[in-house]
Amino acid sequence: MKKIGIILIVILTTMTAFAQTQTNTNSTVSPDNDIVYRLFPTTNRWNFIKLNTRDGRMWQVQYSLEDDQIEVPLSLTARVSKEEEKNGRFFLYPTQNMYNFILLDQLDGRVWQVQWSTESKNRMVIPIY
């Protein structure tokens, strides 16, 4: 009887740990589509991308424990007209490359490659056709 109890405890513990791992995979994404701005983490712990979800404009946000915090534009170009703006329209998806994201217009399907960098010459947003 003790063996069955121990086996059940091990099985339940394993299942609980697996379930927690599965539910936390998208914990950095807010389910609220009624917001204008979102922060997307990069794999660099000091940098985030701030996205205007209404029009697709983006900024690189770098925080620090010292005095070198910055917020610099990645793209100040609105991807839609004022009449077409809608909260939650644009979303960023990470890629395998830590410096690149894919920007998706969730209403019409257009996509852009977004590259952030600590050097301004290496920042870019280009359409993917």
Side-chain angles (χ1 to χ4, degrees):
M1 189 67 163
K2 282 186 178 180
K3 287 183 182 181
I4 293 174
I6 292 172
I7 291 172
L8 281 174
I9 290 172
V10 170
I11 290 172
L12 290 174
T13 303
T14 304
M15 288 174 52
T16 303
F18 180 74
Q20 288 175 350
T21 301
Q22 292 298 313
T23 57
N24 289 335
T25 56
N26 281 332
S27 62
T28 58
V29 177
S30 167
D32 186 2
N33 279 338
D34 199 31
I35 58 174
V36 178
Y37 292 98
R38 285 186 191 263
L39 274 180
F40 291 86
T42 67
T43 55
N44 177 306
R45 73 168 132 174
W46 307 108
N47 288 277
F48 287 80
I49 297 176
K50 181 173 85 172
L51 171 66
N52 180 322
T53 67
R54 292 182 61 80
D55 64 15
R57 292 179 297 140
M58 291 168 283
W59 297 262
Q60 179 179 327
V61 177
Q62 179 178 313
Y63 74 98
S64 171
L65 301 177
E66 298 174 15
D67 288 335
D68 56 350
Q69 299 93 345
I70 59 168
E71 182 174 332
V72 295
L74 282 174
S75 174
L76 296 179
T77 303
R79 307 277 168 215
V80 293
S81 67
K82 280 280 190 203
E83 298 78 31
E84 297 174 304
E85 289 182 6
K86 181 177 190 261
N87 288 354
R89 179 170 183 155
F90 291 92
F91 198 83
L92 279 172
Y93 292 89
T95 66
Q96 295 286 328
N97 181 322
M98 73 179 283
Y99 297 103
N100 285 270
F101 284 75
I102 301 295
L103 175 67
L104 172 66
D105 182 333
Q106 297 183 114
L107 295 184
D108 69 17
R110 292 178 298 152
V111 290
W112 293 264
Q113 177 182 340
V114 177
Q115 182 171 300
W116 69 271
S117 175
T118 54
E119 297 180 26
S120 60
K121 67 180 181 180
N122 293 329
R123 294 183 198 120
M124 67 175 181
V125 179
I126 55 175
I128 299 175
Y129 298 106

